[in-house]
Amino acid sequence: MDFLQPTSWREALALRAEHPEALPIAGGTDVMVDINFDRRRPGSLLDLGRVPELREWGPDDGRIRLGAGVPYARIIADLGEQAPGLAMASRTVGSPQIRIRGTVGGNLGSASPAGDAHPPLLAAGATVEVESAARGIRQIPVADFYTGVKRNALEPDELISAVLLPPARGPQQFCKVGTRNAMVIAVSAFACALHPERQAVGTGIGSAAPTPRRAPEAEEFLAGELAAAGLWQSRAALPEVLAAAFGERVAAAASPIDDVRGSAAYRLHSLSVMARRAITWAWAEYQHDLREAA
Ligand SMILES: Cc1cc2nc3c(=O)[nH]c(=O)nc-3n(C[C@H](O)[C@H](O)[C@H](O)COP(=O)(O)OP(=O)(O)OC[C@H]3O[C@@H](n4cnc5c(N)ncnc54)[C@H](O)[C@@H]3O)c2cc1C
């Protein structure tokens, strides 16, 4: 097996163009499992682990630019304020060893419907930045990035360079149901984000459809009800009936299957419960959140 090891982003893109059959590897926590179980036998690997540009994050024109190779452990340590939903989800990924190696770029590369980074990226309204040597940069709204079960919008000569996140202007939440507390693939997952600056609600559903997806009707319903009741301004308590109706609409947006991890019926039920709870927690935080008032 050939092992290609670029030490800069330019070199990585050039090697990707020359060897479109080479499998990129970042933390290797998905790729190595596939190789060890003989699910994949790539002729060459394109190791992105020594590309410094991928491991950086920082502000970028009003957004947070998170390099595709920033590991979960660093997101947890550094981004709890700016990207609380993603940081919460990162805390639930695998084990400390997996969180030190695993990256959001790898989660997007695998595009598993169960990947934990996807729901918070959807709820926050993130953009995936990809690049090829021949055609330059493309920015893809994360909701358009997932094209099928474990498939994404990446072209054979492209690599994921970064994720662009609007900094959180309101509370964000992430919930995940699994068969145990750690080292578990989600049976179902849900993320929400309040965007008070535009009076909007963001959602992300995991493990309950062929791809990670938003629940647009639930988002519009809740944002509309909050506006009609003047709750964005008054910050009065969220009526329980509204939270429950939101949960039902989130579940209605899913299209889960029965599999070894859970039944479709359980996934729908758990989603409605998680969505109700997550939005209740997020709203309670908003009631005491001074970000907008400051
Ligand atoms: C024990 C264990 C527990 C786990 N638990 C969880 C969990 O709780 N939640 C969860 O979501 N996942 C979990 N995973 C899966 C895995 O850790 C995540 O999907 C992780 O985000 C993968 O990141 P990585 O950097 O290791 O990706 P890699 O394995 O290096 O790559 C994954 C895929 O992405 C592609 N890729 C990587 N970087 C790029 C790039 N820059 N451009 C283009 N393509 C790229 C690769 O070609 C490959 O197809 C677990 C894995 C293990 C082994």
Side-chain angles (χ1 to χ4, degrees), residues 171 234-238 280 282-290:
S234 73
R235 299 186 192 226
L238 180 70
T280 303
W283 191 262
E285 201 185 316
Y286 177 61
Q287 290 185 275
H288 306 286
D289 189 355
L290 298 178

Side-chain angles (χ1 to χ4, degrees), residues 175-201:
C175 302
K176 167 176 170 180
V177 170
T179 45
R180 57 185 183 180
N181 262 346
M183 290 285 276
V184 71
I185 301 177
V187 174
S188 58
F190 177 72
C192 65
L194 294 176
H195 304 292
E197 77 289 1
R198 49 188 172 93
Q199 299 201 349
V201 175

Side-chain angles (χ1 to χ4, degrees), residues 23-31 33 40 48 68 72 92-94 98 101-103 105-107 109-110 115-116 154 159-160 176 183-184:
L23 182 65
I25 177 167
T29 60
D30 279 328
V31 168
V33 173
R40 278 185 185 190
L48 301 173
Y72 294 110
T92 77
V93 172
I98 298 296
R101 298 286 317 167
T103 65
N107 219 228
S110 294
D116 286 323
L154 213 58
L159 289 169
I160 304 164
K176 167 176 170 180
M183 290 285 276
V184 71

Side-chain angles (χ1 to χ4, degrees), residues 226-240:
L226 292 170
L231 290 175
W232 288 110
Q233 290 80 15
S234 73
R235 299 186 192 226
L238 180 70
E240 275 177 34

Side-chain angles (χ1 to χ4, degrees), residues 33-92:
V33 173
D34 281 354
I35 291 176
N36 287 341
F37 282 93
D38 225 2
R39 287 187 212 128
R40 278 185 185 190
R41 191 74 17 216
S44 41
L45 286 174
L46 175 60
D47 175 29
L48 301 173
R50 296 201 181 173
V51 178
E53 293 92 326
L54 291 178
R55 298 181 74 83
E56 292 165 4
W57 75 266
D60 181 57
D61 200 17
R63 291 187 284 188
I64 312 286
R65 188 170 196 284
L66 177 70
V70 176
Y72 294 110
R74 188 124 175 262
I75 295 172
I76 296 164
D78 295 355
L79 285 169
E81 280 286 312
Q82 293 103 321
L86 183 60
M88 271 183 211
S90 301
R91 279 185 213 114
T92 77

